[in-house]
Amino acid sequence: MDHADLHWKGTGAEPRAMLESWLAFHRATLAVKCAGLDDTQVRLAAAEPSSLTLLGLVQHLAEVERNWFQRVFGLDVPTVYDSADGYALEPGRGIEEALAVWRREIARGQENCAGLALDDLGRIPDGPMAGVEVSLRWVLIHLVEEYARHNGHADILRETIDGVTGA
């Protein structure tokens, strides 16, 4: 999906549609940042000492999607990748595979949360906030923030790779 495919719902008063539209925008931005790059390019880090890559970001955000929309809301699923944060790169994994996994996690999370209301609660399963209850509204806002922050990283990575800016 790219930005041209987005349908801006919720620009009025409906909070869930507005939050979901902003999340869709940020997801599409990440996909645009990866478009047209090969597997070697998406493995390039922007600046020492950081090892952050576009491929690592896509994998990380697949983990983020699974954690917040599936694990928090009751599904007992393991992590997607070997590392809980998703940043570790495997030699044989390319960007197309990572994007497919990321899109699958988005779809599964959307299915899992389709019947939830914004004020329905889930519970953070592990980490420093283990056991804390959060609403679907909180999770959607958090994910908009998470994607916005990482899309800033993706901007820098993409510009470093081939000079492309904006999106």
Side-chain angles (χ1 to χ4, degrees):
M1 171 189 305
D2 66 22
H3 293 119
D5 295 327
L6 292 174
H7 302 284
W8 287 93
K9 298 177 266 181
T11 55
E14 212 286 287
R16 183 169 184 159
M18 187 180 309
L19 289 169
E20 288 175 343
S21 290
W22 273 110
L23 186 52
F25 170 81
H26 284 294
R27 288 170 174 152
T29 298
L30 180 66
V32 166
K33 292 298 175 187
C34 297
L37 298 176
D38 64 33
D39 289 339
T40 300
Q41 291 172 308
V42 296
R43 291 173 171 276
L44 296 173
E48 294 279 336
S50 176
S51 61
L52 185 65
T53 65
L54 280 172
L55 180 57
L57 277 177
V58 171
Q59 293 176 169
H60 170 68
L61 288 164
E63 291 290 0
V64 165
E65 292 279 349
R66 178 173 281 198
N67 187 61
W68 290 105
F69 292 120
Q70 295 176 62
R71 296 181 72 226
V72 166
F73 291 103
L75 295 183
D76 184 19
V77 293
T79 59
V80 180
Y81 298 107
D82 292 337
S83 65
D85 63 10
Y87 286 118
L89 303 182
E90 294 293 323
R93 187 179 307 120
I95 189 63
E96 292 307 318
E97 177 187 344
L99 287 168
V101 168
W102 172 66
R103 288 182 180 111
R104 181 192 72 209
E105 294 307 317
I106 291 169
R108 286 181 177 169
Q110 288 171 329
E111 290 170 12
N112 192 46
C113 294
L116 298 178
L118 284 177
D119 293 326
D120 284 347
L121 297 175
R123 188 175 305 278
I124 297 174
D126 48 32
M129 293 176 57
V132 172
E133 285 188 333
V134 291
S135 68
L136 178 59
R137 178 188 324 270
W138 187 95
V139 170
L140 287 166
I141 291 168
H142 173 64
L143 268 283
V144 168
E145 175 274 328
E146 177 104 2
Y147 270 92
R149 182 168 31 92
H150 288 314
N151 281 336
H153 300 138
D155 283 340
I156 294 166
L157 288 161
R158 182 63 192 250
E159 185 175 5
T160 300
I161 292 166
D162 65 1
V164 171
T165 61

